[in-house]
Amino acid sequence: MHLKLSFCLILYTAVALEAQPSLRTIAVPQPTNVNQYIANRAALTLLGKALFWDMQLGSDGRTACATCHFHAGADHRSQHQLVSPLNRSLTSSDFPFHALSDPTNNNSTVLRNNSSIYGSAGVFRRKFTAINFSNGTDDGYDLADIASFSLDGLNLRQVTARNAPSVINAVFNARNFWDGRATNLFNGNNPFGAADSAATVLAYRNGQLRSEKVSSTNASLASQAVGPPTNNVEMSYDGLNWPTLGQRMLTLRPLANQRVAADDSVFGPFVSSSAKGLNPSITYGSLVQEAFAPEYWQALEGRDGFSQAEANFALFFGLALQQYQSTLVSDDSPFDRFASGDTGAMTQQQINGLNLFRGRAECNTCHSGSEFTAASIGALLNNPGRGGPPNAGPDTGFFRTGVSPRDADLGLGGVDGFGNPLSRNPNAPNVQGAFKTPGLRNIEFTGPYFHNGGQASLEQVVEFYNRGGDFPAGGLGPNVRRLNLSANDRASLVAFMKALSDDRVKFQRAPFDHPELCVPNGHTNTAQTTDARFTLSADENWVAIPATGKAGTDAPLQTFAEMLDGIGNDGSRANHLSQACPASPAN
Ligand code: HEC
Ligand code: HEC
């Protein structure tokens, strides 16, 4: 009897493993048609990592990509992250946004229906005027923001309309953003790929400057990266364009205002002896010259009064960010070890959870493959049907799960910057309100969950699926239905999802180590900034995310639920947001 049982278990496991092998078995996707641009891959990785973590990138000189992606690749801030109410300091009683008297029944009495969004605080609403070469930031002035992000007569930072997903493993996504608008094909200029037929870069050959098209597939991270830096909610003052951003950045010393660990896995040999930023001999201009072929930067006269390097800055930026983020692959979780044959790598409860995930709960209908999402390049190239119609082809892995009312956010049912539908089949059922299925790796640390950030914990997410979603009206993707899971089943599913965490992410070790970062975490909304240039801006709280070297930290990352409950502020968790900035950025 005993023998027979364990035999069955082994057989079942073998079948299941075929479906979701270790991520190590999946080649990291490489963008096509980029060899003519790239001269040195190592320099490109370094350039990309510096640009990602550098607070100088934002117009205000204090907003990095990492400001919204510092914690297991996602955002972890606790104050002024909601679209409304403004400047709220979040507590566990804010979650889930949609609370029911019976969490197993989506028809039971609604106790709370908060239609807000946990987004990410970006920049103040300001108009760009000119580059300020003396301090390396942009000059600008406050625009009245009475309607959206204004409180007591003062402007607050604007908050994005969706929750920030993790950048870790995003290289496997066929398209990026929740609605897929960062296209698979990179055009060297903006996120919209082939839809922008006018997008070109400048090439200098045989003494002549020519406009060329860029057409690189598997390059959704490059498409994505050229969105935020000139976006007037996320990073820039209104009216900034790419060549102007290039003009400012190319003169700057990377990470000049941030500490960098001497043993950083990428920056180590180049860290300045002053311990802030990279060596004085290095500028973004010198890194671009090292990383890219001279045909793309050598002409002093480019276009519209900008040098060739400035005119092509979006191309360099996109490819550098694609390259750096393609090193952010977490393929060494207990699950990956288990899937490679180390049967002791997961606990029995986690194995039970895995069997539910692929069995009765059918989570892997959408969270499929080693990437745990059918929105992967692998699904697009090798098995286009994996997502199932209508979510096949470029719409692979986009589904509606009923997180919010269908028309609250159309997701894949929306249009790109040129008015073209994001979906290949815009009129197919279930396209409206469909979102990209997220991969679930390191999910333990990337709360709150869903495109609206409305669930604080994995327990809450599993309860959501157990009741068949919150807003089924309008149609749901396959297998989102009442699951009738027992408390034991639900605990097993949660335990299994925690087996998808990679210790290198959890302890911020290489390649997930990083420079110091200061992030704004809410406003002192009664006070104005002391900066005379910005008379409408509210003062704010700045907190430190300390630098880690390649060996990482002793303390594990704080989870979102722990943060809400104040667990780990004694230093037993990393990034607990109660550490002051060593050098609080001057206003
Ligand atoms: C103000 C906060 C903020 C900043 C700054 C920011 N992001 Fe994001 N990021 C977001 C949000 C919010 C989303 C989701 C937006 C959506 O899907 O509509 C996102 C999405 C992404 C994604 C897509 C991941 C996925 O699974 O779809 C990547 C990759 C990414 N950001 C990288 C970057 C890079 C690179 C930069 C800097 C150039 C950057 N972000 C700057 C908030 C930010
Ligand atoms: C029909 C396809 C589908 C099925 C089935 C499905 N998911 Fe999802 N999952 C999605 C999509 C799409 C999202 C994003 C939804 C949104 O934000 O609106 C998501 C989001 C999530 C998230 C949050 C991820 C994040 O980064 O915020 C978790 C966790 C999750 N799913 C776990 C599960 C589990 C566990 C099951 C099985 C009980 C399951 N999913 C079943 C498609 C699916």
Side-chain angles (χ1 to χ4, degrees):
M1 174 66 190
H2 202 95
L3 263 179
K4 204 169 155 198
L5 254 184
S6 53
F7 184 60
C8 286
L9 187 71
I10 288 163
L11 260 187
Y12 184 83
T13 308
V15 170
L17 287 185
E18 204 178 21
Q20 294 181 292
S22 158
L23 189 57
R24 282 183 238 177
T25 65
I26 309 288
V28 177
Q30 296 296 324
T32 61
N33 299 332
V34 293
N35 286 344
Q36 74 262 39
Y37 310 116
I38 299 170
N40 178 331
R41 292 264 170 186
L44 190 61
T45 305
L46 191 145
L47 173 62
K49 185 171 181 178
L51 286 168
F52 185 88
W53 289 95
D54 201 331
M55 296 166 68
Q56 299 176 107
L57 183 65
S59 280
D60 59 4
R62 310 193 221 166
T63 308
C65 299
T67 301
C68 308
H69 295 284
F70 63 86
H71 193 83
D75 200 345
H76 183 65
R77 288 177 285 171
S78 60
Q79 193 180 338
H80 190 53
Q81 289 282 87
L82 297 186
V83 166
S84 72
L86 297 179
N87 205 27
R88 181 158 182 88
S89 207
L90 291 159
T91 66
S92 52
S93 59
D94 290 309
F95 295 91
F97 287 176
H98 189 77
L100 295 156
S101 60
D102 175 3
T104 65
N105 179 357
N106 59 16
N107 263 326
S108 64
T109 309
V110 177
L111 303 179
R112 170 176 57 231
N113 187 22
N114 182 351
S115 58
S116 190
I117 291 158
Y118 174 101
S120 277
V123 288
F124 289 100
R125 185 161 176 249
R126 290 175 184 162
K127 180 80 187 157
F128 174 83
T129 51
I131 299 174
N132 184 330
F133 286 102
S134 67
N135 66 11
T137 69
D138 288 334
D139 278 337
Y141 55 88
D142 280 328
L143 293 167
D145 194 357
I146 310 299
S148 319
F149 297 102
S150 166
L151 198 61
D152 302 338
L154 290 171
N155 287 353
L156 310 188
R157 282 184 185 261
Q158 302 167 92
V159 179
T160 61
R162 291 189 188 128
N163 179 18
S166 178
V167 299
I168 296 173
N169 306 320
V171 66
F172 295 101
N173 292 334
R175 303 158 71 175
N176 271 291
F177 286 135
W178 284 104
D179 56 9
R181 72 188 184 287
T183 56
N184 185 278
L185 185 148
F186 179 49
N187 67 20
N189 284 253
N190 55 44
F192 307 120
D196 184 0
S197 52
T200 57
V201 298
L202 295 176
Y204 187 75
R205 287 197 192 87
N206 308 322
Q208 280 204 314
L209 207 55
R210 298 190 324 177
S211 290
E212 281 182 3
K213 270 192 168 313
V214 176
S215 180
S216 171
T217 58
N218 291 349
S220 175
L221 284 178
S223 297
Q224 188 287 326
V226 295
T230 55
N231 179 292
N232 63 6
V233 172
E234 287 178 297
M235 303 192 79
S236 84
Y237 298 164
D238 192 41
L240 179 69
N241 60 32
W242 270 99
T244 308
L245 177 60
Q247 193 176 31
R248 179 165 65 83
M249 291 304 290
L250 289 166
T251 62
L252 297 179
R253 184 166 64 93
L255 301 159
N257 305 318
Q258 295 160 252
R259 278 165 227 262
V260 185
D263 67 342
D264 184 286
S265 62
V266 171
F267 301 129
F270 312 104
V271 173
S272 161
S273 52
S274 79
K276 278 203 174 175
L278 304 190
N279 285 329
S281 61
I282 301 174
T283 62
Y284 280 111
S286 71
L287 288 178
V288 162
Q289 296 195 1
E290 222 179 311
F292 291 97
E295 289 88 328
Y296 293 93
W297 49 259
Q298 65 190 345
L300 293 178
E301 313 252 319
R303 186 151 56 191
D304 306 329
F306 291 99
S307 71
Q308 187 190 11
E310 290 161 0
N312 284 345
F313 192 62
L315 169 72
F316 303 144
F317 191 92
L319 294 181
L321 268 293
Q322 168 90 35
Q323 171 69 24
Y324 166 58
Q325 292 174 100
S326 72
T327 68
L328 303 180
V329 171
S330 70
D331 57 5
D332 191 20
S333 66
F335 166 79
D336 294 293
R337 293 177 187 193
F338 180 82
S340 313
D342 177 358
T343 48
M346 295 208 300
T347 65
Q348 187 56 51
Q349 189 190 29
Q350 290 173 330
I351 296 172
N352 296 345
L354 171 63
N355 290 335
L356 278 166
F357 192 89
R358 298 200 275 227
R360 200 149 46 84
E362 296 182 286
C363 311
N364 72 335
T365 313
C366 311
H367 298 283
S368 58
S370 308
E371 304 91 338
F372 283 87
T373 168
S376 67
I377 288 180
L380 180 68
L381 298 182
N382 306 328
N383 188 5
R386 191 155 96 186
N391 308 81
D395 291 350
T396 180
F398 284 75
F399 297 99
R400 179 159 190 271
T401 58
V403 165
S404 48
R406 196 188 59 178
D407 296 335
D409 184 339
L410 293 179
L412 183 68
V415 294
D416 71 11
F418 292 83
N420 304 308
L422 293 169
S423 169
R424 169 69 63 88
N425 306 301
N427 300 320
N430 298 339
V431 165
Q432 311 280 309
F435 293 92
K436 176 167 61 54
T437 306
L440 299 178
R441 290 167 179 280
N442 314 301
I443 194 76
E444 183 181 0
F445 303 109
T446 59
Y449 303 106
F450 296 140
H451 74 273
N452 67 346
Q455 311 281 344
S457 66
L458 292 174
E459 285 78 3
Q460 288 175 0
V461 169
V462 170
E463 281 189 337
F464 164 92
Y465 280 110
N466 192 40
R467 62 181 172 261
D470 283 341
F471 296 95
L476 294 171
N479 297 325
V480 182
R481 53 179 163 77
R482 266 184 94 149
L483 295 172
N484 300 313
L485 299 170
S486 68
N488 235 330
D489 293 341
R490 298 199 299 266
S492 301
L493 271 174
V494 169
F496 164 64
M497 286 193 272
K498 293 183 181 170
L500 295 172
S501 298
D502 187 320
D503 272 358
R504 295 171 301 168
V505 172
K506 183 174 179 177
F507 296 102
Q508 305 182 79
R509 296 176 194 144
F512 308 103
D513 57 339
H514 59 78
E516 163 192 75
L517 186 72
C518 282
V519 296
N521 190 36
H523 294 274
T524 47
N525 59 332
T526 47
Q528 193 178 311
T529 66
T530 49
D531 188 329
R533 292 176 302 165
F534 302 117
T535 49
L536 289 176
S537 298
D539 205 358
E540 47 197 350
N541 311 315
W542 287 86
V543 297
I545 308 301
T548 71
K550 64 182 177 208
T553 48
D554 292 336
L557 290 178
Q558 188 180 47
T559 70
F560 190 76
E562 285 172 341
M563 190 260 289
L564 294 176
D565 292 336
I567 298 171
N569 297 354
D570 55 357
S572 60
R573 300 290 186 282
N575 297 355
H576 54 71
L577 304 176
S578 21
Q579 253 171 298
C581 281
S584 205
N587 272 312

